[in-house]
Amino acid sequence: MNADLKTQIPDFQTIMLPMLKLLADGQPKSLNDVMTLLSSHFNLTQNHLKIKVPSGQMGLFRNRVGWTRSYLKNAGLIHYPSRGIYQVTDFGKDYLKTNPTDLRIKHLKKMPKYKEWTDTFNQDQPDLVDSTLTKDIVSKTPEEILANTVTQLNKQLATEVLDKLKENTFGYFESFVISLLQKMGYGEFREDSGTVTGGTGDNGIDGIIYQDRLGLESVYIQAKRFTTGTVGSPDIRNFIGSLALQGVNKGVFLTTSKFSDSAMKTAQDSKQQKIILINGQELSKLAIEYNLGVQEDNTIVIKKIDLDYFEE
């Protein structure tokens, strides 16, 4: 019975256009509001809503609505004015005025915001849910499909991490990058090895990591929380000047945005100071790798045959 009900639950691409239309009035709506409206739209019963994802940790329909929400946001069609609240954007309203009859990933790929998102996270892996890839998926081994799925999940998680960093204060971002570098092993000899110095009179230095107990070896940090735009060459030159003023030769420049080509060249050409640049994409990936601001959601155990056991 559950198998029949499961086939009646729409996939997340099918949910895209109905969800956008339900938000067309411009009023902010909670996840529960959206779930109620979409359940009614697709004629789903409580029995449908009780069906779980394979891990059993979430309702299948709720999970698909969550993925729909993420893709619509990445395309700039909706935004989150506050936690757990969804609202159509002006771009979303304009798109609905074109009277679309369908909305799927192939349509999102033509939208500027979605292209910007894919460029940001270097999405060289195809979307497994793209219907044009059915033959390609069939030709892949289960291990390849699993690896691609994990990649897609991590890209979406990286987007969420970066969004949260952009939403928070400058002070929070400065503390975050100190914590990240500590988790990466810099100054690991003691918990207070990192210091946030950002503020008035910081001389362009937002933090310091002490790499030894006496503080003889230090890494100086500049953190730029940009919601738009890129870090340019003047920012890097100012940072190099601040390092020289402090008499140190190691610096890490981190941003939620990107570095311009001239900024990267300025860092590479620096002879006296060694400058490492970490953009938003790399920053969010490092946060995931070192478990900062993220947590394990589910563990899948993959077993293989124990050939030694069957040896006589």
Side-chain angles (χ1 to χ4, degrees):
M1 182 66 177
N2 266 8
D4 292 335
L5 290 175
K6 186 175 180 179
T7 62
Q8 297 168 13
I9 298 176
D11 64 77
F12 84 84
Q13 292 191 84
T14 302
I15 299 171
M16 284 183 180
L17 187 56
M19 181 171 176
L20 187 60
K21 287 182 175 180
L22 291 173
L23 296 171
D25 60 6
Q27 296 302 309
K29 292 181 174 58
S30 69
L31 174 59
N32 287 336
D33 293 335
V34 171
M35 285 287 294
T36 299
L37 292 169
L38 287 173
S39 298
S40 176
H41 175 83
F42 289 109
N43 297 314
L44 300 180
T45 66
Q46 285 301 313
N47 287 330
H48 289 103
L49 301 180
K50 288 178 181 177
I51 297 174
K52 304 288 186 181
V53 295
S55 67
Q57 295 182 339
M58 182 185 293
L60 178 61
F61 183 61
R62 190 184 187 93
N63 178 263
R64 291 179 178 178
V65 170
W67 277 100
T68 299
R69 169 206 65 189
S70 296
Y71 273 85
L72 292 180
K73 178 182 178 297
N74 292 337
L77 294 164
I78 68 171
H79 73 121
Y80 310 156
S82 58
R83 183 175 181 180
I85 301 297
Y86 315 133
Q87 188 175 30
V88 69
T89 62
D90 289 339
F91 176 71
K93 291 178 182 178
D94 291 340
Y95 180 76
L96 286 173
K97 289 177 183 177
T98 66
N99 297 315
T101 57
D102 192 19
L103 180 56
R104 306 184 76 80
I105 288 176
K106 64 182 180 181
H107 301 110
L108 301 186
K109 287 181 175 179
K110 300 176 183 178
M111 299 179 182
K113 280 285 187 182
Y114 191 83
K115 290 179 180 178
E116 180 182 335
W117 176 66
T118 55
D119 289 343
T120 297
F121 291 96
N122 291 331
Q123 292 204 309
D124 51 355
Q125 294 286 347
D127 284 296
L128 294 177
V129 291
D130 193 330
S131 60
T132 62
L133 298 170
T134 303
K135 293 181 180 178
D136 186 47
I137 292 173
V138 171
S139 68
K140 292 183 180 295
T141 67
E143 287 81 4
E144 289 176 301
I145 295 173
L146 179 60
N148 286 345
T149 300
V150 171
T151 298
Q152 292 293 328
L153 289 170
N154 279 339
K155 284 173 181 174
Q156 185 55 45
L157 177 58
T159 301
E160 293 172 2
V161 168
L162 204 51
D163 285 345
K164 288 300 180 185
L165 290 175
K166 290 178 179 179
E167 291 170 6
N168 263 299
T169 64
F170 290 101
Y172 180 89
F173 182 54
E174 291 169 353
S175 297
F176 179 90
V177 298
I178 290 287
S179 297
L180 177 60
L181 291 172
Q182 287 177 314
K183 277 185 168 288
M184 291 172 66
Y186 293 94
E188 60 183 343
F189 59 89
R190 68 174 192 245
E191 290 185 3
D192 62 347
S193 61
T195 301
V196 175
T197 63
T200 303
D202 64 4
N203 294 318
I205 304 298
D206 294 321
I208 304 171
I209 292 284
Y210 302 106
Q211 292 189 267
D212 63 271
R213 292 184 182 276
L214 298 179
L216 297 174
E217 284 291 328
S218 303
V219 176
Y220 280 55
I221 299 161
Q222 177 69 278
K224 289 289 186 185
R225 187 197 65 114
F226 283 4
T227 54
T228 58
T230 60
V231 176
S233 182
D235 297 299
I236 305 302
R237 286 198 297 271
N238 290 340
F239 184 47
I240 291 173
S242 297
L243 294 179
L245 187 64
Q246 298 291 331
V248 296
N249 57 13
K250 296 178 183 177
V252 182
F253 199 121
L254 306 97
T255 181
T256 52
S257 181
K258 300 177 182 178
F259 295 98
S260 68
D261 291 341
S262 61
M264 290 187 285
K265 187 176 187 306
T266 299
Q268 291 168 359
D269 290 345
S270 176
K271 304 302 181 184
Q272 299 301 318
Q273 280 76 32
K274 174 67 175 178
I275 310 297
I276 300 299
L277 304 182
I278 300 178
N279 62 24
Q281 173 196 347
E282 295 168 314
L283 181 65
S284 56
K285 286 182 177 179
L286 287 171
I288 294 170
E289 181 180 350
Y290 289 93
N291 292 314
L292 183 62
V294 300
Q295 59 184 354
E296 289 189 6
D297 182 40
N298 191 25
T299 301
I300 299 173
V301 177
I302 300 175
K303 299 183 179 182
K304 65 178 182 179
I305 192 73
D306 183 354
L307 295 176
D308 291 338
Y309 180 83
F310 293 98
E311 290 291 332
E312 293 185 349

